[in-house]
Amino acid sequence: MDGLMETIVKYKVYLSDAEFNEVAEALITAHPCLKEPGSASGFGCWKTSLKYKLGNYRSKLRRLGCPEVTVNSLKQKPDDRRSPAYGVKKPKKAEVNYCPPYPAGESADSLEQMRVKLLSEVKIRNNEDKVAAMMDKTFAVRRLEVVQDAPMVADFKARWPGLFNVREVKAEFKRITTVELQSKFFSQLDAHSENLMKVFARKGGVLWKKIKAVMLPMTRAKCYINKFVKDYKSDDECIERDLAETVFGIYVIRHNVADPDDDPEDIGIVLEGVEVLSGLRNVPFAMAMFLGLVYALNISYPPELKYTFEALQKIIMEMQGNRLSAKVQTLKTLLAR
């Protein structure tokens, strides 16, 4: 059992009930002599033992200072909410490196000194490679800050300005998920966009007319992300006010909003009223960067867009694609026809 725990935590420290079932079933499959006689599944008691064993193993990891479990220790919780079950932070969006340990030979103090040095390094021209190396080395302390403290976007941008550019958003996404953001996003989007158009067309009736009216003036890729993309005319006086009030969205500034073929003057991303990225090439590219920022800042999917982002994560990016909600599973089935 100790060896099994060591193998499990190489992949995940927190398992779902379904995953405990899979491990217990695999155990009796590999060792039929362990199958429980008289049990419906043959592994019910093994599953319970696995849960207790993993809980004890997490306690050992916590004492050793493993960040992914220490972030959930009782001393990290509010005085009036110090129960083991309160506010447990764990991977929910297929993160591989959810809260990794510090690099060998580094401490919180040494990495904080590097963070402070980064504030001046990002202001130097043609210094992207050095900044990238320092950002890579400080990933663990930055990730712990995001997961543990959940800072406001404005505060986090002030502390880590080097993160808020296209190169580093893609790099951070890969550090967290091990998946290439841009290439995966566009290859899968291109593969699915034609079938998605056909799915919408089969709806027919009033719904199809509404969808068609929205989709006609857009490129194929944009049909996925129209819900939170806002168009502005370049001379609109309310742009700054609207962006300051935007919690979660992409803005597109055009000279002529009525003409969708008019090249945008600017495309950017706003989070909590803060412009975090600007000068993006097109809306689909902005959406890819948006997904990268959601992971980099450990942001939960907004309730009104949870199915949109679930489809992007599980169908487009193919991360945790075997665990779908009913709505997203229906879409995946339709796209496969």
Side-chain angles (χ1 to χ4, degrees), residues 255-293:
H255 179 69
N256 183 4
V257 177
D259 182 7
D261 294 324
D262 181 33
D263 290 334
E265 296 181 11
D266 188 21
I267 297 176
I269 296 172
V270 177
L271 291 170
E272 296 178 2
V274 178
E275 183 184 290
V276 291
L277 285 179
S278 61
L280 303 177
R281 295 197 291 268
N282 50 57
V283 174
F285 182 71
M287 186 58 231
M289 293 302 103
F290 206 119
L291 186 63
L293 284 166

Side-chain angles (χ1 to χ4, degrees), residues 86-122:
Y86 174 74
V88 177
K89 299 178 175 68
K90 56 186 178 180
K92 296 179 180 178
K93 303 192 294 288
E95 299 96 336
V96 176
N97 295 309
Y98 181 69
C99 197
Y102 296 149
E106 299 291 345
S107 65
D109 290 338
S110 65
L111 293 174
E112 174 62 16
Q113 291 173 10
M114 191 174 294
R115 182 197 70 79
V116 173
K117 188 178 179 181
L118 261 169
L119 296 177
S120 57
E121 292 291 339
V122 295

Side-chain angles (χ1 to χ4, degrees), residues 184 188 192 311-321:
K184 182 72 172 182
Q188 286 293 103
H192 287 298
L312 291 172
Q313 174 198 322
K314 298 181 179 181
I315 297 179
I316 301 301
M317 299 302 295
E318 296 184 315
M319 297 189 305
Q320 230 172 27

Side-chain angles (χ1 to χ4, degrees), residues 228 246-250 270-272 290 294 299-302 305 309:
F228 55 105
T246 299
V247 177
F248 198 88
I250 294 171
V270 177
L271 291 170
E272 296 178 2
F290 206 119
V294 164
I299 298 173
S300 299
Y301 298 152
L305 294 167
F309 275 91

Side-chain angles (χ1 to χ4, degrees), residues 43-44 59 73 76-78 87 96 99 101-103 107 140 147 165 174-175 187 208 221 253 264 268 272 275 290 295:
F43 55 77
S59 296
S73 64
Q76 300 290 347
K77 300 181 180 183
V96 176
C99 197
Y102 296 149
S107 65
V147 172
N165 62 73
K174 187 174 182 180
R175 293 180 194 114
S187 62
W208 166 240
I253 298 177
E272 296 178 2
E275 183 184 290
F290 206 119
Y295 274 78

